[in-house]
Amino acid sequence: MHKNNHTIGQLADRTGIKPVTIRYYEKIGLLPEATRSESGYRLYSDTDHFRLLFIRRSRALGFSLGDIRELLSLADSQQESCAGVDAKVEQQLEQVRSRLKDLRAMEQELKRLSACCAGGVIMDCRIIETLSCEA
Amino acid sequence: MHKNNHTIGQLADRTGIKPVTIRYYEKIGLLPEATRSESGYRLYSDTDHFRLLFIRRSRALGFSLGDIRELLSLADSQQESCAGVDAKVEQQLEQVRSRLKDLRAMEQELKRLSACCAGGVIMDCRIIETLSCEA
DNA sequence: ATAAGGGTTATAGTAACTATAAGGTCAAGG
DNA sequence: CCTTGACCTTATAGTTACTATAACCCTTAT
């Protein structure tokens, strides 16, 4: 089926994940231990390739490695309901929305700060003052 | 002027920053070394109080402790132009906007994923499939 | 006197990597 | 054949901004 014929560097090029990070994922058990060449080099198959892409894509959506570990194990149990997966996505959506809310508030506040700097010396700078006070 | 009359716990209550974090800030030089009572307890003045509020507020705006260290040292040199502070705020605003962009993209993508879950079993789960593939 | 609720220090752990050191392997060119 | 350079290996330490733990000291009330 899948031949184990890519070195870690090749896998890195194909997935955009650095070798050192791939080894790290193996170490924490996100990736299975790679088979080795005679000289001890790690060798990877297309299955590994897909798994890494899955990880990268999930990371890009803001899932933690812990989340991804769960998603991967869910993905491996093909017969079970996908409610768990859906729940994880929903939960992540919640988190992203909450962060969006905070960031939007930050943006407003920074805009306000930036607008109120009159360009004088620090003694008169409203920014420091504003940041020191409750408001 | 300012009396040094608050314990670390009182300061913590007033600022919403935990004692352990306050000690940490002192250790990394964000706060000056506190004066001590005879028995070795840290004692804080209103100046410290304001400095901590400044830190907390800046943190809430997304500044890193490194940024805050710079802001504080800028703020300490009262005679200088506040252009440096303003630039930092501008830079931070940029960063916040960039994060907002990323998060909005994430939100869209997660919404799309969530919508495509039909509630079957994992084998047929579009979410897993989508996460596995480039698209 | 003692117990509860502070305070003190030092050390280790967290997430998700990144950086460094010190060495082994492999293919190409002189 | 030898060397050079790019790649691979491992182990260890550093990063950010804390949090958790242990083991102990101080203060106050009962």
Side-chain angles (χ1 to χ4, degrees), chain B:
Chain B
M1 281 285 192
H2 292 307
K3 289 185 208 142
N4 288 7
N5 37 14
H6 304 301
T7 65
I8 199 167
Q10 287 162 347
L11 190 61
D13 288 343
R14 283 155 167 258
T15 59
I17 298 181
K18 296 183 202 152
V20 66
T21 304
I22 297 176
R23 285 188 210 106
Y24 170 69
Y25 288 165
E26 176 180 318
K27 195 171 171 189
I28 64 171
L30 269 194
L31 292 177
E33 290 201 7
T35 56
R36 301 295 184 117
S37 74
E38 287 187 12
S39 59
Y41 283 22
R42 285 174 180 80
L43 295 177
Y44 294 97
S45 68
D46 289 348
T47 309
D48 300 311
H49 180 76
F50 285 129
R51 202 171 175 94
L52 252 189
L53 284 180
F54 179 90
I55 295 174
R56 196 194 61 172
R57 202 144 163 65
S58 304
R59 287 291 295 144
L61 290 172
F63 288 98
S64 72
L65 293 184
D67 290 335
I68 294 173
R69 190 191 304 274
E70 281 183 58
L71 285 170
L72 281 169
S73 85
L74 285 171
D76 285 342
S77 49
Q78 304 248 315
Q79 296 313 313
E80 288 179 36
S81 151
C82 74
V85 178
D86 194 40
K88 271 243 148 280
V89 169
E90 218 54 53
Q91 188 186 326
Q92 195 61 22
L93 194 47
E94 266 318 291
Q95 218 184 94
V96 164
R97 284 179 172 147
S98 148
R99 271 188 234 161
L100 269 171
K101 193 165 143 276
D102 289 348
L103 276 177
R104 276 195 269 262
M106 277 188 212
E107 189 195 10
Q108 288 314 305
E109 186 63 15
L110 285 168
K111 259 162 72 180
R112 200 170 68 74
L113 276 184
S114 156
C116 81
C117 178
V121 295
I122 301 265
M123 250 177 73
D124 312 311
C125 185
R126 305 297 315 274
I127 292 178
I128 294 291
E129 197 179 322
T130 307
L131 281 175
S132 307
C133 303
E134 303 284 309

Side-chain angles (χ1 to χ4, degrees), chain A residues 8 11-12 14-18 21-22 25 30-31 44 46-59 72, chain B residues 131-132 134:
Chain A
I8 200 170
L11 189 64
R14 282 155 169 258
T15 58
I17 297 180
K18 295 184 202 149
T21 305
I22 297 176
Y25 287 165
L30 268 194
L31 291 176
Y44 293 98
D46 289 348
T47 309
D48 299 311
H49 179 76
F50 286 129
R51 204 171 172 92
L52 252 188
L53 284 180
F54 181 95
I55 294 173
R56 197 193 62 173
R57 203 148 162 63
S58 304
R59 285 294 291 146
L72 281 169
Chain B
L131 281 175
S132 307
E134 303 284 309

Side-chain angles (χ1 to χ4, degrees), chain A residues 112-128:
Chain A
R112 198 171 69 74
L113 279 182
S114 154
C116 81
C117 176
V121 295
I122 303 258
M123 254 177 69
D124 313 312
C125 184
R126 308 291 310 277
I127 290 179
I128 297 290

